[in-house]
């Protein structure tokens, strides 16, 4: 019996934010470089927004890893929702001050003013839509001091649009909207991802028709695609071990794509 | 983990559901097409039947009208009484061709060429039994016959008798001509072409079946009122059916409309008694 090529392929699509696994399609690659250049410009704030699953977190993680070698940069993937905790974390990371008790915005500003930093630290905040309006307002005031540069990601919803309008409209130096992939981009994404993990046989199984079906089901959303393909290779793996006659290794079966979509909830039966 | 069998079952349900609207659309379209096709076919056949009925009704109406107005044939003598004339249209039609064939010879012999329907029973009698006694042939050229009809009946009888000797060839010809007329009638029923009905009227007139000639001339006139020949056959048939006045009246009406010279000539002939 042949080795199970589907097990490795399945793990490629685990929903883990890892900069090393980041696959950039051409369009996003251009945006990324443009955004990276903007970081070096005298800006107050950068905004990265888009619908869930469009790759914002991955984008931010990649940016963090790329900037790490040349800039002082801090990434907060999980939002710190408590004000005091937020400022205490910043004070500890940026200013190397371990503050006992509560630290409010005014106290943090005083500490910041007393510290004469010869660089502008870059703070990357993921999932910023989870911060309260008050905290967002304080972040805005902090960015106005030009002593800290903020790069934040937001889910593009009605509410987040409002936040962007009210708090960041005049301050954002640059913003990028990430969108879902087109069918051709999705094919590149899937194949690049598999080939990066040396799953060449699995990568070759993705023909235009099967990618089109996947795109129809996921609308090019990377998170949904990852979920779907994880289940798809799980099913393939199952058949490979228990009933290999039911599968072929030439192309991805539409039936198994649809079964995966049913299992992940993309198709409601 | 997942239950693969359950997942396959769900997938099957999903496929059935996804194909269901397509199947419904296809079936509905088929049903609509079949319904339309059937309806159109039904309407067509209905209209054909109605046309056929109209023609038949017209024909029947005319026949009954004519029959009502027709003067019953006079009995010539006891001999002719023994061989009654067949009035059934089917039998009459069978004899048409025979009459039609004999008529050509008869025109030379008799000036007033009117051939009446011979008796089929008479024919049967001829066919069944060999004639032991010599049949008396009445001279066709005899001018002393009192009425035209009597003379005609005798001629018809003579013709029937003379058929006995050259049996084979005459019978074949009769059937062919009869078939021809039947075919023309069938064609006319399908096409309702006045040319065909006129041909039928002419054939019946020539064969001496004035009732049917009258009917088909009438049908032709109804379809196309500008057919001069049809009006003339119509009028002539009326004269032959002893409806001289009606014939003259009809011709007058037609002449008013068409100013037909032939119709005038015919009317003059009828009025002068040349046309009998």
């Amino acid at each position: 019996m042949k080795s199970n090529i589907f097990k490795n392929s399945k793990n490629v699509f685990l929903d883990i934010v890892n900069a090393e696994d980041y696959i950039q399609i051409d369009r996003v690659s251009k945006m990324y470089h443009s955004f990276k250049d903007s970081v070096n410009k005298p800006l107050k704030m950068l905004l990265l927004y888009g619908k869930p699953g469009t790759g914002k977190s991955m984008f931010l993680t990649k940016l963090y890893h790329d900037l790490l070698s040349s800039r002082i940069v801090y990434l907060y993937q999980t939002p710190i929702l408590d004000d005091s905790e937020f400022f205490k974390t910043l004070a500890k990371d940026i200013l190397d001050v371990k503050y006992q008790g509560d630290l409010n915005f005014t106290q943090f500003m005083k500490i910041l003013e007393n510290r004469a930093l010869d660089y502008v630290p870059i703070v990357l905040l993921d999932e910023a839509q989870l911060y309260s309006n008050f905290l967002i307002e304080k972040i805005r005031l902090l960015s106005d001091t030009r002593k800290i540069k903020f790069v934040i990601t937001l889910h593009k919803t009605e509410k987040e649009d409002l936040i962007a309008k009210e708090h960041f409209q005049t301050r954002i130096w640059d913003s990028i909207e990430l969108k879902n992939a087109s069918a051709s981009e999705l094919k590149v994404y899937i194949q690049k991802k598999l080939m990066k993990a040396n799953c060449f046989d699995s990568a070759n199984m993705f023909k235009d028709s099967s990618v089109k079906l996947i795109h129809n089901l996921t609308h090019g959303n990377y998170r949904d695609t990852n979920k779907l393909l994880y289940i798809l290779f799980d099913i393939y793996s199952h058949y490979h071990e228990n009933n290999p006659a039911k599968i072929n290794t030439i192309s991805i079966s539409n039936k198994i794509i649809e079964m995966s979509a049913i299992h992940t909830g993309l198709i409601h039966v | 983990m997942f239950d693969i069998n359950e997942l396959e079952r769900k997938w099957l349900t999903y496929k059935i559901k996804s194909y269901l609207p397509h199947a419904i659309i296809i079936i509905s379209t088929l049903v609509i097409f079949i319904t339309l096709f059937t309806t159109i076919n039904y309407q067509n056949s209905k209209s054909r039947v109605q046309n056929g009925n109209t023609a038949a009704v017209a024909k029947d109406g005319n026949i009954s009208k004519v029959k009502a107005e027709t003067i019953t044939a006079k009995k010539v003598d006891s001999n002719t009484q023994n061989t009654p004339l067949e009035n059934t249209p089917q039998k009459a039609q069978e004899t048409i061709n025979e009459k039609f064939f004999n008529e050509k010879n008869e025109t030379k012999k008799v000036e007033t060429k009117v051939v009446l329907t011979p008796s089929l029973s008479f024919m049967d009698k001829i066919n069944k039994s060999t004639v032991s006694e010599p049949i008396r042939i009445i001279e066709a050229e005899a001018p002393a016959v009192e009425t035209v009809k009597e003379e005609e009946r005798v001629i018809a009888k003579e013709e029937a008798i003379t058929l006995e000797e050259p049996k084979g060839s005459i019978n074949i010809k009769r059937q062919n001509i009869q078939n021809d007329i039947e075919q023309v009638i069938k064609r006319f029923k399908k096409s309702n072409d006045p040319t065909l009905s006129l041909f039928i009227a002419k054939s019946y007139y020539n064969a001496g079946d004035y009732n049917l000639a009258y009917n088909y001339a009438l049908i032709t006139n109804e379809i196309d009122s500008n057919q001069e020949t049809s009006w003339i056959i119509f009028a002539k048939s009326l004269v032959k059916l002893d409806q001289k006045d009606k014939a003259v009246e009809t011709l007058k009406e037609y002449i008013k409309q068409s100013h037909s010279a032939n119709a005038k000539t015919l009317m003059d002939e009828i009025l002068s008694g040349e046309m009998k």
Side-chain angles (χ1 to χ4, degrees):
Chain A
M1 187 190 266
K2 279 185 181 178
S3 63
N4 192 340
I5 59 166
F6 305 112
K7 265 188 178 168
N8 290 337
S9 306
K10 181 179 87 171
N11 294 330
V12 168
F13 294 98
L14 275 171
D15 195 16
I16 297 169
V17 179
N18 186 347
E20 286 177 10
D21 297 336
Y22 188 53
I23 301 295
Q24 277 187 341
I25 52 173
D26 288 349
R27 180 172 55 86
V28 179
S29 181
K30 281 178 192 167
M31 287 162 75
Y32 177 79
H33 289 294
S34 163
F35 198 76
K36 196 178 162 189
D37 292 343
S38 299
V39 172
N40 295 320
K41 289 174 185 172
L43 56 88
K44 285 181 181 175
M45 195 172 276
L46 277 169
L47 176 65
L48 191 62
Y49 66 100
K51 287 177 182 172
T54 48
K56 295 185 297 294
S57 299
M58 210 54 155
F59 192 103
L60 201 67
T61 310
K62 172 76 176 162
L63 186 70
Y64 170 73
H65 281 274
D66 286 354
L67 292 174
L68 206 55
S69 56
S70 58
R71 302 290 299 264
I72 305 295
V73 57
Y74 305 95
L75 171 64
Y76 299 100
Q77 286 181 314
T78 311
I80 307 160
L81 300 176
D82 182 71
D83 282 20
S84 172
E85 203 59 39
F86 179 77
F87 292 119
K88 274 166 79 175
T89 309
L90 284 186
K92 187 189 164 210
D93 291 347
I94 299 169
L95 307 170
D96 200 22
V97 173
K98 286 185 180 175
Y99 199 85
Q100 297 298 316
D102 285 350
L103 180 65
N104 60 30
F105 175 69
T106 317
Q107 288 164 327
F108 179 77
M109 286 293 273
K110 275 183 185 172
I111 296 167
L112 190 65
E113 281 165 13
N114 291 335
R115 286 288 177 100
L117 293 172
D118 54 352
Y119 60 90
V120 179
I122 300 167
V123 175
L124 310 178
L125 298 176
D126 199 6
E127 307 281 4
Q129 76 281 351
L130 295 174
Y131 291 101
S132 68
N133 282 358
F134 286 118
L135 189 53
I136 288 287
E137 189 64 19
K138 286 165 191 169
I139 291 168
R140 181 187 68 80
L141 291 170
L142 264 177
S143 69
D144 279 350
T145 64
R146 291 187 182 271
K147 290 193 172 177
I148 301 174
K149 214 174 273 184
F150 283 94
V151 177
I152 64 168
T153 68
L154 284 172
H155 281 181
K156 192 175 182 282
T157 62
E158 230 171 79
K159 191 192 167 194
E160 279 75 56
D161 275 352
L162 198 69
I163 292 169
K165 236 180 204 176
E166 287 177 354
H167 300 288
F168 305 122
Q169 202 170 36
T170 55
R171 292 173 182 83
I172 292 160
W173 202 87
D174 203 358
S175 69
I176 281 181
E177 182 185 4
L178 291 179
K179 290 181 178 174
N180 286 338
S182 66
S184 56
E185 286 171 345
L186 199 66
K187 188 180 178 186
V188 172
Y189 169 78
I190 293 166
Q191 289 187 329
K192 269 189 175 181
K193 215 166 162 66
L194 285 166
M195 284 194 279
K196 203 170 180 179
N198 294 328
C199 300
F200 299 104
D201 291 335
S202 309
N204 286 331
M205 287 170 72
F206 284 88
K207 312 292 178 201
D208 284 347
S209 58
S210 46
V211 173
K212 200 177 170 186
L213 178 59
I214 293 168
H215 186 263
N216 283 340
L217 293 164
T218 63
H219 306 290
N221 187 285
Y222 294 102
R223 189 172 291 151
D224 288 344
T225 303
N226 289 344
K227 262 167 64 184
L228 181 81
L229 294 182
Y230 179 84
I231 297 295
L232 180 130
F233 283 115
D234 203 9
I235 295 170
Y236 261 102
S237 188
H238 178 89
Y239 278 132
H240 186 267
E241 285 167 6
N242 301 297
N243 199 350
K246 278 198 168 184
I247 53 167
N248 73 66
T249 52
I250 296 162
S251 63
I252 297 288
S253 150
N254 282 356
K255 178 187 172 183
I256 297 179
I257 293 173
E258 285 165 348
M259 282 167 69
S260 312
I262 290 166
H263 187 72
T264 52
L266 292 169
I267 290 176
H268 300 283
V269 183
Chain B
M1 267 311 283
F2 49 82
D3 178 358
I4 199 79
N5 294 326
E6 175 68 10
L7 205 54
E8 281 186 340
R9 192 194 58 75
K10 281 183 178 175
W11 176 81
L12 198 66
T13 313
Y14 161 72
K15 288 312 273 185
I16 292 166
K17 275 185 183 175
S18 62
Y19 285 126
L20 203 63
H22 299 286
I24 289 169
I25 289 165
I26 291 166
I27 291 166
S28 309
T29 315
L30 278 174
V31 167
I32 289 164
F33 272 111
I34 290 165
T35 313
L36 279 175
F37 183 75
T38 315
T39 313
I40 290 163
N41 262 3
Y42 175 72
Q43 282 175 349
N44 282 346
S45 59
K46 202 177 173 185
S47 62
R48 271 184 216 149
V49 168
Q50 278 176 348
N51 285 342
N53 286 342
T54 315
V57 166
K59 189 176 161 184
D60 293 345
N62 290 330
I63 289 168
S64 59
K65 200 176 171 184
V66 170
K67 275 182 180 172
E69 290 171 359
T70 303
I71 299 160
T72 50
K74 291 174 186 173
K75 294 175 183 177
V76 182
D77 54 23
S78 59
N79 287 336
T80 50
Q81 276 177 354
N82 291 334
T83 56
L85 290 169
E86 276 297 336
N87 291 326
T88 54
Q90 196 178 353
K91 288 182 178 179
Q93 277 182 2
E94 283 174 9
T95 60
I96 285 166
N97 293 318
E98 187 185 326
K99 288 183 275 175
F100 187 73
F101 175 75
N102 292 325
E103 190 186 12
K104 287 178 184 173
N105 298 329
E106 198 57 37
T107 46
K108 294 173 186 174
K109 296 174 182 177
V110 187
E111 280 181 13
T112 53
K113 188 201 78 177
V114 178
V115 183
L116 293 179
T117 310
S119 161
L120 264 186
S121 58
F122 180 71
M123 293 285 287
D124 291 340
K125 198 175 175 185
I126 292 165
N127 290 332
K128 282 175 187 171
S129 61
T130 50
V131 183
S132 54
E133 290 176 15
I135 297 163
R136 186 182 153 224
I137 298 168
I138 299 165
E139 285 297 320
E141 285 174 311
V145 181
E146 280 181 18
T147 61
V148 174
K149 286 200 172 184
E150 283 169 354
E151 182 186 328
E152 285 163 4
R153 283 168 195 268
V154 174
I155 290 162
K157 188 179 172 186
E158 178 197 22
E159 285 164 6
I161 293 160
T162 50
L163 281 173
E164 193 181 18
E165 285 177 7
K167 224 184 247 175
S169 62
I170 290 170
N171 284 339
I172 290 164
K173 196 166 183 182
R174 182 180 69 181
Q175 283 173 357
N176 286 341
I177 294 166
Q178 181 58 33
N179 285 341
D180 287 346
I181 291 180
E182 280 172 4
Q183 280 178 1
V184 174
I185 290 168
K186 276 180 191 172
R187 279 173 58 200
F188 170 68
K189 280 179 181 173
K190 280 182 185 172
S191 65
N192 223 24
D193 185 350
T195 320
L196 296 175
S197 56
L198 179 59
F199 174 81
I200 298 161
K202 272 183 187 174
S203 301
Y204 278 130
Y205 182 84
N206 291 336
D209 197 332
Y210 305 116
N211 280 345
L212 287 171
Y214 168 88
N215 286 337
Y216 276 98
L218 186 68
I219 290 166
T220 311
N221 291 342
E222 280 174 0
I223 297 167
D224 182 5
S225 60
N226 296 322
Q227 289 273 8
E228 185 190 62
T229 319
S230 172
W231 284 102
I232 287 169
I233 297 283
F234 182 77
K236 280 181 172 180
S237 301
L238 280 171
V239 173
K240 296 292 183 192
L241 292 164
D242 280 349
Q243 299 282 310
K244 219 180 231 182
D245 295 341
K246 205 174 175 181
V248 172
E249 203 178 308
T250 309
L251 283 172
K252 273 181 187 173
E253 287 297 317
Y254 177 64
I255 290 161
K256 263 187 200 174
Q257 288 175 10
S258 64
H259 306 288
S260 162
N262 288 333
K264 272 183 188 173
T265 314
L266 178 65
M267 194 173 74
D268 293 342
E269 282 176 4
I270 294 167
L271 290 171
S272 65
E274 284 178 43
M275 168 74 196
K276 289 180 183 177

